[in-house]
Structure formats: C-alpha cells, structure tokens
Amino acid sequence: MAALPIYENRFLDKFSLKGRTVVITGGGRGLGLTFANGLAQAGANIAVIDIAAQPSEAFSSLTYGGQYLYYQADVTNYEGLGKVITQISKDFGGIYGCIAAAGVHVDKPFLDHTPKDLDVNLNVNVKGVFYTVQHCARQMKEQSTGGSIVAIASIAAYKAPAAHSIAAYTASKYAVRGFMGQIAKELAQYQIRVNTVSPGCMQTELLQMVLDEHPERLPLFAGTCALNRIGQPQELCGMLLYLMSDLASFTVGQDFIVDGSSV
C-alpha cells in the first residue's frame, strides 16, 4: 500500500487567504463585520455588501494590508445584487470566497406573527442567501478557479430556543440548511465548496436590544449551552477561516454547529 501523503512542513500556511477576495453580505455590522475583520487578518481582500448607505466606523479599522471595499446593496433585490457582485469581481479581479451572513429576525409570539413578519424573514434570510450564493457561484464558475461558499444558518434550525419567539426566523434557517445541501452537490463539479455554519446564542447588537428590553432573559440565553454563557462573535472566526482555507479542500456539504454544546 502506498504511503499516505502528508502536508509539507509549512502546514499553517494553508490557513493564509492572502490575495483572495471574500464577499461578505451583512458585513457592515454584527457577525458579518466580525467575519470581515477575522478574515482580513488572514490576508483576505474583503468586499462587504450591506444595505446601509455608508459603512460603519469599525469597517474603516480594517488595516491589515489587503484591499477592503464597501458596497451598498439590498440582498433581496436580485438584479441589483447581481450587478454589485459583478462589479466586485471586476474591482478585485475575481471572487474566491462568499459568506452569506445578512439576516434578520422577528422576536414575537407565533400567534402574533403577521404575514409581513414572515415575508421579511423569508425574503432576507432565504431569498437573500439564495441570490447571494447564486451570483457568487456564477462568477466562480466563469473564473474556473473554484472557491468556497458559506451560508450562516442557526442553531434554531435544530432546537427551539427557550428565550426567543422566532418561528419565522426558525423556518428561514431550516430552509437555508436544506437548499445549501442541494447546492453543495451541484457546485462541487466546479470545485466550489459549499457549507453552512450554525451559530448558537451570540452576543450581537440584535441580542443586546432584546436584553435591554428584557434583562430577565439573560439567564435563559446563557443557559442554552453547556458552557453556560453567551458566545462571542469572534469565536466563529476560526470555523470561517478553516472553511475559506485550503485546509478545507475536502469539506463539502456540511453544517458546522458552533454553539457551546446546546443541542
């Protein structure tokens, strides 16, 4: 039997994203901005797409030596988003990675959900992810360079959270997990790796808004996982770096739970 191949001595170099452009939706704030910061430190060029007219001041702090540009777009506008992603490819000379992180949620009892609440969640969290992945994948196929695509799902697609009332959001994240598995099968032939990440309860601006209004929920949120605390956004960056790197070259069609063990 032939000896199994081993990595060369410079194993950690495979984590480098130097010169590779990663598109991040929802990257103007929250988890998306944290991902942008983390991947920029690994050498990636970052193209952030967000609905806000101007980037946050924190975006300007990306000073790690790469190229970082901000683009305004609504991920639910199929044609508008497509034009922006085409422009990104032109501006950067191609696209290697895509992280579909733009998302919203409505926190209210199921019986109080309105058709508009459902539409908002499905439009941004499902259609927005679908559109983003499709546009980026088309660029990657045209380039014939392969690439890595990650959609941000949620632990809510595995377990109903005790501290939230997010039926429409949960439905949207189940949908993301479902169609990304199918997309992974179809795009693998182009050497485009597709995976999802399902975060647990994370300390985001949206969560803080809930806690400001309902401080009594803090023990419920913290108690959702074995570590008995709320996760920090940067604790997701290791998984995103792995999935964007060459070390994940045989990782396709998987959902990675990063939740402090709450399932």
Side-chain angles (χ1 to χ4, degrees):
M1 181 181 294
L4 293 175
I6 60 173
Y7 283 112
E8 58 270 24
N9 291 335
R10 302 189 66 81
F11 175 79
L12 293 181
D13 287 350
K14 290 188 175 292
F15 276 118
S16 175
L17 300 179
K18 187 175 182 179
R20 294 180 174 180
T21 297
V22 179
V23 176
I24 304 176
T25 62
R29 62 186 180 92
L31 293 181
L33 181 58
T34 300
F35 302 154
N37 190 290
L39 297 184
Q41 292 184 52
N45 297 320
I46 303 295
V48 159
I49 298 175
D50 207 290
I51 198 169
Q54 300 293 329
S56 64
E57 291 184 7
F59 180 76
S60 302
S61 68
L62 299 181
T63 54
Y64 302 106
Q67 184 179 6
Y68 318 116
L69 296 179
Y70 182 90
Y71 300 82
Q72 181 188 21
D74 181 348
V75 296
T76 69
N77 183 329
Y78 184 80
E79 292 184 356
L81 180 63
K83 290 179 181 178
V84 166
I85 290 175
T86 298
Q87 187 62 50
I88 289 172
S89 185
K90 292 178 180 178
D91 292 343
F92 286 88
I95 295 171
Y96 170 78
C98 166
I99 300 176
V104 298
H105 83 274
V106 176
D107 192 335
K108 64 169 61 173
F110 168 68
L111 293 178
D112 295 335
H113 267 64
T114 66
K116 182 179 180 180
D117 294 331
L118 182 60
D119 287 344
V120 167
N121 278 268
L122 296 182
N123 285 340
V124 177
N125 299 350
V126 180
K127 290 182 179 180
V129 171
F130 195 101
Y131 297 164
T132 299
V133 172
Q134 188 181 70
H135 286 309
C136 285
R138 282 176 174 161
Q139 292 293 329
M140 293 174 183
K141 179 187 175 184
E142 185 176 326
Q143 296 162 191
S144 299
T145 56
S148 176
I149 295 175
V150 176
I152 304 303
S154 172
I155 194 62
Y158 289 90
K159 177 182 179 182
H164 273 311
S165 297
I166 48 174
Y169 174 85
T170 297
S172 71
K173 294 303 182 178
Y174 264 104
V176 168
R177 281 187 53 218
F179 72 69
M180 290 297 284
Q182 176 63 37
I183 291 171
K185 292 285 188 182
E186 295 187 30
L187 296 185
Q189 63 183 305
Y190 308 115
Q191 301 304 307
I192 299 172
R193 297 180 288 103
V194 176
N195 297 281
T196 58
V197 172
S198 288
C201 182
M202 308 302 293
Q203 184 65 53
T204 62
E205 294 175 14
L206 289 174
L207 177 63
Q208 192 57 52
M209 289 173 59
V210 173
L211 290 176
D212 288 343
E213 187 174 353
H214 303 283
E216 73 282 359
R217 294 189 187 181
L218 178 58
L220 289 175
F221 284 114
T224 59
C225 73
L227 293 177
N228 197 35
R229 65 175 175 85
I230 295 171
Q232 298 301 310
Q234 60 268 26
E235 292 180 295
L236 296 169
C237 286
M239 183 59 70
L240 269 298
L241 175 57
Y242 164 70
L243 291 173
M244 286 292 128
S245 77
D246 288 343
L247 286 176
S249 58
F250 204 57
T251 304
V252 179
Q254 305 301 309
D255 181 58
F256 294 88
I257 301 173
V258 184
D259 71 333
S261 187
S262 66
V263 176

